[in-house]
Amino acid sequence: MTDAPRLQADPPAAPLLAPARPSLYDRFAARLTVDERARRLYAWLAPTIVVLLAAVLRLWNLGAAHDLMNQFDETYYVKDAWSMSRLGYEGAWPEGANELFLSGDVNTFLTDPAFVVHPPLGKWIIALGMMVLGPESGWGWRITTALLGTAAVLLLMLIAKRLTRSTTFAVVAGLLMAVDGLAISMSRVALLDTPLTFFVLLAFLFVLLDRERTMTRIAETVAARFEGDVPPSWGPLLWNRPWIVAAGAALGAASAVKWSGVWVLAGLGIYLVVTDALARRRAGVVLWPHDAVRQGLATFVLLVPVAFVVYLASWTGWLVTEGGYDRHSADAAPATGLWEWVPLPLQSLWIDHVTMYNAAAQITSGHTYSSPAWQWPLLLRPTGMYYHHDALGVDGCAAANGCSQVVSSIPNPLVWYAGVAAVLYLVYRFVVTRDWRFALVLTGIVITYVPWLFFPERTVFQFYTVLMLPFMLIALTFALQAIAGPPGADVYRRHTGQRLVIVFLAVALALAAFWYPVISAMSVPFEFWQLHNWMQGWI
């Protein structure tokens, strides 16, 4: 007797490995490709919202911390700026000037000159705010810095849009900077680093605009010069490059804020020469190295003289008045020989620059918050710019252990460390792909960070990294774009990647909200401030 035949059961259905529908974002992006009106609306509305958010976070309660933050240079820049607006140069201040200034007695400056180690443009920018809103509160001291910090977010998005070729990821880059603690805190104090950042980003944008014109012109001109299959020996010599002139003006302004702008001028100049050389080689120019040297000389003429003129113009107040520091230093011993034709005021200005340089090079004294450049990627010592403590019952404090007001330059920790990793990722991607976009971002990192490594003895601070922060955020944006998946990837890959990006951004925004009170001088319980001291160096 044999067993009855058994019915074969259907195999279990294979689990679905991918969602059946594209992600919500992909459906939204698909709609934008077919709806021109929606695409235009999104292209301006999303960045506008980010800029407004940046403005609110930088302008809200800007006068908080009614103090000149005498641990840092706000105490000098504010008073220098105000005296410049009255004298044309930085005047000296008597003993106890801070207390008098904060009480509203702002005109106790002397006609004697004060010695300074930075060019005047950044202080003129600070002075403009006080001339409009008055010098009696932090609103007057800090308004122009806050506005330039907000504008820097817009510039970052314009740059990121051209590099990532995506409005969405340009907005991501801008959003990360809009809410970042380092960017916000440096926009809420009257220091020079935010104006410097603004002008550097402006110069990078102009270089990008030049590239969009120049690379095509080189390729088309060289192609037209081929004789059959024989390539030309020389490419075009391009003088009509208005964006390079504009970049030179922006970099002259950056150098007139802080001398570290000169590093950016030199770095971008080298970048332009190298990219011109590579464009000519790709186009088929036979003598491309010689051609690149020839074009490099033309680029120098377009870039550097205008930078020098803008820089010199920033010293107009010192030159047209008589009382500035070292103003008549060349009168007693004017130059002879080759340089005797130089007007005495310019000779004196040169002497003043030598004095400034020697003084700046000798800033090696210890400081509680000093942080050598090698520490910056590790975020070991953020800068505490302001701290005030009120006991229970003082100024409305209801916390048992008192209340604290803090201005710290700490960036968003998640974004910062992810940004450092993204820079390393971008180095790898550049080695593999030789993508010019990655080269430009890495150029920004190198020229805003590496020079500081050559001054290990100099007293420097972590807040200087606000200048390299935008380039780190672009590197991070490239990494997030790669995680989100390329447009042609399968639905599962896109869903998974986009969810990871959304989770990252959600955590980053939560941390930004957690940190905002201690970068904006809000009065918070002392225990709340302690919650932010994750490492010993963060205290």
Side-chain angles (χ1 to χ4, degrees):
M1 189 173 186
T2 60
D3 293 335
R6 296 178 180 178
L7 295 175
Q8 183 67 37
D10 293 334
L16 291 176
L17 296 180
R21 298 179 65 197
S23 68
L24 180 63
Y25 171 74
D26 284 344
R27 296 198 300 273
F28 171 72
R31 179 189 170 188
L32 293 182
T33 60
V34 298
D35 189 335
E36 178 65 25
R37 182 172 176 274
R39 182 164 65 251
R40 287 199 305 267
L41 178 64
Y42 178 62
W44 71 262
L45 181 59
T48 299
I49 292 172
V50 171
V51 170
L52 290 175
L53 174 63
V56 169
L57 295 178
R58 285 154 179 77
L59 294 173
W60 177 82
N61 202 22
L62 186 62
H66 184 66
D67 185 85
L68 291 177
M69 301 189 188
N70 54 17
Q71 277 204 82
F72 290 93
D73 288 340
E74 188 180 61
T75 183
Y76 302 113
Y77 299 150
V78 170
K79 298 198 300 290
D80 284 347
W82 182 244
S83 64
M84 284 175 63
S85 71
R86 293 297 180 263
L87 301 173
Y89 59 89
E90 297 93 336
W93 292 77
E95 192 73 24
N98 274 19
E99 291 75 16
L100 292 170
F101 197 96
L102 292 171
S103 67
D105 189 357
V106 299
N107 291 317
T108 60
F109 54 84
L110 310 176
T111 56
D112 297 335
F115 175 68
V116 296
V117 295
H118 289 298
L121 181 57
K123 288 165 280 188
W124 279 117
I125 290 171
I126 294 170
L128 179 62
M130 290 191 284
M131 292 164 67
V132 173
L133 298 182
E136 292 79 19
S137 77
W139 275 96
W141 316 332
R142 300 166 184 151
I143 183 64
T144 49
T145 306
L147 292 175
L148 288 181
T150 302
V153 174
L154 175 60
L155 290 176
L156 176 63
M157 286 191 286
L158 293 174
I159 293 170
K161 173 65 180 297
R162 284 169 166 77
L163 292 175
T164 64
R165 301 163 186 145
S166 165
T167 298
T168 296
F169 282 97
V171 168
V172 167
L175 177 63
L176 291 175
M177 187 167 175
V179 303
D180 185 81
L182 173 61
I184 294 172
S185 63
M186 294 306 295
S187 299
R188 292 176 61 91
V189 293
L191 297 182
L192 306 180
D193 301 83
T194 292
L196 173 64
T197 302
F198 169 82
F199 288 120
V200 167
L201 287 176
L202 191 61
F204 268 81
L205 177 61
F206 290 154
V207 167
L208 268 173
L209 293 172
D210 171 77
R211 182 186 174 88
E212 292 174 0
R213 299 176 75 241
T214 302
M215 296 300 105
T216 301
R217 290 169 66 194
I218 291 174
E220 292 177 348
T221 304
V222 173
R225 292 183 180 180
F226 267 73
E227 296 180 2
D229 294 331
V230 180
S233 297
W234 299 94
L237 183 61
L238 302 177
W239 287 101
N240 183 19
R241 300 176 71 174
W243 292 118
I244 295 301
V245 177
L251 292 170
S255 303
V257 173
K258 291 183 81 171
W259 280 352
S260 50
V262 175
W263 298 338
V264 183
L265 175 63
L268 273 181
I270 294 171
Y271 172 84
L272 288 168
V273 171
V274 171
T275 53
D276 275 343
L278 295 177
R280 290 162 196 275
R281 186 181 70 172
R282 284 193 302 269
V285 175
V286 175
L287 300 177
W288 64 269
H290 306 80
D291 204 29
V293 171
R294 187 180 63 146
Q295 180 62 57
L297 293 174
T299 301
F300 179 90
V301 172
L302 293 171
L303 183 71
V304 175
V306 68
F308 176 77
V309 169
V310 170
Y311 178 82
L312 186 62
S314 74
W315 287 89
T316 299
W318 188 93
L319 289 168
V320 301
T321 57
E322 300 295 326
Y325 194 90
D326 272 342
R327 175 61 179 80
H328 293 284
S329 56
D331 293 2
T336 59
L338 181 62
W339 301 108
E340 65 181 343
W341 62 271
V342 177
L344 285 178
L346 294 181
Q347 292 185 32
S348 296
L349 184 60
W350 172 255
I351 294 172
D352 188 45
H353 275 60
V354 173
T355 305
M356 289 167 58
Y357 175 80
N358 291 334
Q362 295 170 11
I363 300 177
T364 57
S365 59
H367 192 286
T368 304
Y369 286 102
S370 64
S371 176
W374 68 264
Q375 291 184 354
W376 295 350
L378 304 176
L379 197 57
L380 297 182
R381 190 58 170 158
T383 311
M385 297 187 178
Y386 174 77
Y387 182 85
H388 176 76
H389 185 82
D390 288 322
L392 174 65
V394 177
D395 285 340
C397 176
N401 291 323
C403 299
S404 297
Q405 290 178 284
V406 182
V407 177
S408 172
S409 73
I410 188 168
N412 187 311
L414 173 63
V415 173
W416 179 264
Y417 289 122
V420 171
V423 170
L424 299 178
Y425 162 77
L426 215 63
V427 172
Y428 162 75
R429 290 290 297 155
F430 175 69
V431 171
V432 172
T433 65
R434 297 293 195 275
D435 192 319
W436 69 268
R437 299 173 300 160
F438 304 157
L440 182 63
V441 177
L442 293 174
T443 297
I445 294 289
V446 168
I447 59 183
T448 58
Y449 172 59
V450 171
W452 291 110
L453 294 172
F454 294 96
F455 299 92
E457 303 301 324
R458 195 178 187 278
T459 304
V460 295
F461 302 95
Q462 177 271 340
F463 69 77
Y464 294 0
T465 57
V466 70
L467 184 56
M468 59 184 283
L469 177 67
F471 304 102
M472 292 179 64
L473 294 180
I474 295 175
L476 179 57
T477 300
F478 272 123
L480 293 175
Q481 191 176 32
I483 290 171
D490 61 71
V491 174
Y492 178 76
R493 169 70 177 83
R494 295 281 289 176
H495 268 276
T496 304
Q498 290 171 19
R499 285 168 181 165
L500 288 173
V501 171
I502 290 170
V503 169
F504 176 87
L505 293 177
V507 176
L509 290 174
L511 285 175
F514 175 65
W515 242 273
Y516 185 73
V518 299
I519 61 175
S520 59
M522 292 175 63
S523 182
V524 297
F526 177 71
E527 292 83 0
F528 182 78
W529 159 236
Q530 285 185 311
L531 288 175
H532 296 77
N533 299 323
W534 293 2
M535 291 197 290
Q536 181 65 29
W538 293 11
I539 298 175

